[in-house]
Amino acid sequence: MRAAIYARVSTGRQERDQTIDSQLTALRHWTAARGHDLRDEHVFTDEGYSGSRLDRPGLDRLRDAAAEGTFDVVAVYSPDRLARKYAYQVLLLEEFRKAGCEVAFVQRPISDDPHDQLLLQIQGAVAEYERAVLGERFRRGKLQKARAGQWTAGKSPYGYRYVPKRDGVPGHLVIDEAEAAVVRLLYRWLIDEQMTVRQILKRLAAGPWRPRSGRRLWSNSVVHRILSDPVYTGTGYHNRYTFEVPRRPRTRGPRSGERTCRRPRPREEWVAIPVPAIIDAATYEQASAQLARNAVLSFRNNTRHDYLLRCLLTCRTCGLSMFGVTTHAADGTPRWRYYRCHGRDCVSRDRDRPCPQRQAKVEELDAAVWQHIKGLLNDPATLLGQFEAFAREAEEGEADGDPVAAAGPRRAAPARRLPSGGHRPDRAQGAPAATGRPARSPRRAAEPASTPARRAGRGPGDPGGLEGVLRARPLPARRGHAGRETTALARAR
């Protein structure tokens, strides 16, 4: 018989402990002992995916292959490796049965006997119960350690070193003098010179200081956390945040459906943990006040200027997003408005040189986009054709294992351009030469002129002129059965 095997582990620690290799070894021995034919392409694994969800890449490939009838039996180490919820187990077993594929559990064989089916139900309920109990035990255990004064976070903050529990002494933090000197320096720059986080990043990049990761540049979030974390005053906190499922997940990775969105808990629920202090409380209060002033003056709070394509543009040259900027005359009145690529910022993007894409004038690009939208609305057939073409392209990319299609909306957006209909973007309706399209690179020059994305949008409603600056952002894909992606449509704005 043609056989397939499936193995799963939930965490990176299980991957390091080789537990998935032990599952595969047992499954291979099982298939060999029964004389089944097992091919390398019929080995399916999910590393780092929870059994409480069905949208797993390896499981999706297994289900698709079973539906095509490529094997007759699939071996799984135990029912909880297939799914942690009994309802999911029933759904998968029924799906495999309808496809004419037998499911064999190596550790706990299950037959069609009513007693075995009852045992399967009990095992599924127990597996789901064990998962809930383990989560609650871990939570209460960490809470108890924090109340006893033990540091419970997995990674020590910058400026400290974690000393594990040893000889009856609980795990605790000690000051790393080299990193602590950098922490004090950052606070002095913020308070004495009233610098912004961005200015601090530039000074760090120009000096000999390097982050703990060893990279050339510091991360904005790392510096901001150093300047806002109360742990440096001598008190760390446990149970400070609660984690929820994000309303709009950014990716479709192993944790896309888990509780990764952080929300602050009420202050009375925090558990204080004493640690060595690097700065005093007065310094921390001054730094917090300066950060608040910086936030008020930040360009993120822009209410004076409006941009039609704000957060919707992607640079053709480097693939990063574009933002609106306004220059002012000497009397303070707005003079010029542009869309600028984030790649021109070498500090925050860790680049050796800025993106060569020139700025695009806001009025001219907005007019071109608006004409394009009017043309689509006046020609519903062209609009429907573009939607169907983007949907076919996304489905074909997922079927072929295209990493762009599988990377999620934010990563897939740079690969989907609004077609130009064969016109130069700087000579299209309303998009003059001010968009500054650079010379076509050899790789792009070698691309065929009739790609699926370009063919999809040609029609009477497509004015062209947007290739090189504007890219279509896809709508969130619709969920089919078992959570698999079935459709991806482009958003026309």
Side-chain angles (χ1 to χ4, degrees), residues 158 177-186 189 193 195 199-219 223 226:
Y158 187 85
E177 292 301 336
E179 294 183 353
V182 178
V183 172
R184 298 187 186 99
L185 188 62
L186 297 182
W189 289 349
E193 303 183 36
M195 299 177 66
Q199 291 171 337
I200 293 176
L201 290 174
K202 289 184 176 181
R203 182 172 292 186
L204 289 172
W209 308 280
R210 291 293 178 265
R212 184 179 291 176
S213 62
R215 296 179 180 176
R216 186 176 64 90
L217 297 179
W218 290 68
S219 170
V223 174
I226 291 175

Side-chain angles (χ1 to χ4, degrees), residues 317-471:
T317 305
C318 63
L320 295 177
S321 60
M322 303 180 70
F323 62 97
V325 293
T326 301
T327 62
H328 296 81
D331 57 355
T333 58
R335 186 175 182 181
W336 300 106
R337 303 203 308 156
Y338 296 97
Y339 289 115
R340 180 182 300 171
C341 174
H342 271 291
R344 298 178 66 89
D345 183 2
C346 296
V347 174
S348 62
R349 295 296 174 177
D350 194 5
R351 290 171 169 263
D352 296 330
R353 61 188 64 181
C355 174
Q357 180 67 41
R358 297 168 62 183
Q359 302 178 127
K361 287 189 176 181
V362 170
E363 292 78 6
E364 296 164 351
L365 188 56
D366 287 356
V369 172
W370 186 243
Q371 290 298 325
H372 178 81
I373 295 176
K374 290 170 61 178
L376 291 177
L377 295 178
N378 292 331
D379 189 355
T382 302
L383 181 62
L384 180 61
Q386 287 197 9
F387 280 174
E388 293 176 348
F390 281 125
R392 288 194 302 269
E393 181 184 354
E395 291 177 350
E396 291 173 359
E398 291 183 0
D400 298 338
D402 185 2
V404 174
R410 290 179 63 87
R411 299 290 297 275
R416 297 182 173 88
R417 295 189 293 269
L418 270 177
S420 64
H423 300 291
R424 287 174 54 91
D426 55 349
R427 293 293 182 268
Q429 301 177 11
T435 54
R437 178 183 179 182
R440 189 181 180 92
S441 64
R443 180 180 64 82
R444 293 180 58 82
E447 293 179 354
S450 180
T451 61
R454 295 182 182 181
R455 290 196 304 267
R458 289 179 180 173
D462 184 4
L466 304 181
E467 179 188 1
V469 179
L470 179 64
R471 300 176 189 270

Side-chain angles (χ1 to χ4, degrees), residues 56-79:
R56 296 172 248 156
L59 181 61
D60 284 344
R61 293 195 302 270
L62 174 67
R63 297 168 66 183
D64 293 338
E68 296 173 0
T70 56
F71 45 81
D72 304 311
V73 59
V74 54
V76 187
Y77 189 72
S78 62

Side-chain angles (χ1 to χ4, degrees), residues 472-489:
R473 296 186 62 182
L475 285 174
R478 296 174 57 188
R479 294 280 182 175
H481 72 280
R484 286 182 288 179
E485 306 291 352
T486 58
T487 307
L489 300 178

Side-chain angles (χ1 to χ4, degrees), residues 91-164:
L91 184 149
L92 293 173
L93 292 175
E94 181 67 16
E95 182 176 319
F96 288 132
R97 186 189 63 81
K98 290 182 179 180
C101 179
E102 177 186 352
V103 179
F105 298 109
V106 175
Q107 188 186 31
R108 302 170 185 173
I110 301 294
S111 66
D112 292 333
D113 185 80
H115 296 86
D116 287 346
Q117 293 299 316
L118 176 61
L119 178 61
L120 177 62
Q121 298 178 22
I122 295 175
Q123 289 176 350
V126 170
E128 190 171 352
Y129 169 75
E130 285 180 348
R131 183 176 182 272
V133 169
L134 287 176
E136 180 63 15
R137 285 178 180 173
F138 283 137
R139 185 191 69 84
R140 291 181 60 84
K142 294 182 68 175
L143 194 61
Q144 186 65 27
K145 290 181 179 179
R147 289 170 177 167
Q150 181 175 347
W151 183 260
T152 58
K155 187 177 181 181
S156 59
Y158 187 85
Y160 293 95
R161 209 165 27 87
Y162 177 69
V163 179

Side-chain angles (χ1 to χ4, degrees), residues 220-238:
N220 188 303
S221 60
V222 171
V223 174
H224 188 274
R225 174 166 292 187
I226 291 175
L227 297 174
S228 59
D229 198 335
V231 70
Y232 297 103
T233 61
T235 304
Y237 292 98
H238 177 74

